[in-house]
Amino acid sequence: MFEIRLLVPEDRVEPVSDALEALDALSVSVEDADAQTDAEQALFGEPGMPPPKDGWQRSRVIALFAQESDAREAATLLSAQDFFADCQVLEISEVAEQDWVRLTQSQFAPVEITPDFWIVPTWHEPPAAARHVIRLDPGLAFGTGTHPTTRMCLRWIARQAAPLGRVLDYGCGSGILAIGASRYGASEIDAVDIDEAAVQSTLQNATANAAALQAGLPTQAQGVYGTVLANILATPLKVLAPLLCAHVAPGGSLVLAGILERQADELKAAYAPYLALSVADTEDGWILMTAQRASA
């Protein structure tokens, strides 16, 4: 396979990408051309929502083609278009043959949550300092410990001095938070998700980690819990405010993630009729918000 690398201004990313797709590119990706430099720009978006921008001020557009002739023809046709003004063909090169399984695995190293709590793929040995380990490989369900929202939730779990009690993981994804709660002594765990694939992923990961929990659809969540965890996104978290708060037992904790720093006030307002949220942690533009219900 062969790839074209282009340097494209932000306002030309969409027409250039559309043209590449029309020219039968196998894939088109967009990267920040200034990544890993002082000029790097952070763009935050939410899954299922339109991207905040089509690209960066200086975007690198990479298109993959099956044949070198297709790649060169695409570059020639693009260069003749008016919308390609201020764009630049950086290179056309052959994609080297690789062991894609090994390459993928190399991108997932053990993830430190705290110095003694680690997320470790099955092809790695746990670090010597790891006292608490979750074995988790990348899969279809969200949550492998690499995202700031997941790490903040797990850090919160690890740092609790009081018992977690009965735990609800609402929107469990891979089940990583539920498994983390089991590592830190939760007495009972319900992990629920609207996606059947996530439920199955949670059950498989729980078995692999010898974690005792129940997983199912949201109707499985019944009664009140000492700890309610929800690492979803800001919009569904606002909709779920009355439901999630109703599951928090007297003296219990509510832990919310999937929230950008700029969304803090929206979440506080949505939960104000039920519980008083505050920011408990922050990482890379994301925040963890928590609340505690007064004891009876």
Side-chain angles (χ1 to χ4, degrees), residues 10 108 128 148 210 239 262 265:
E10 181 185 321
F108 293 91
V239 174
R262 59 178 170 79
D265 289 341

Side-chain angles (χ1 to χ4, degrees), residues 138-142 197 201:
L140 292 176
F142 177 80
S201 178

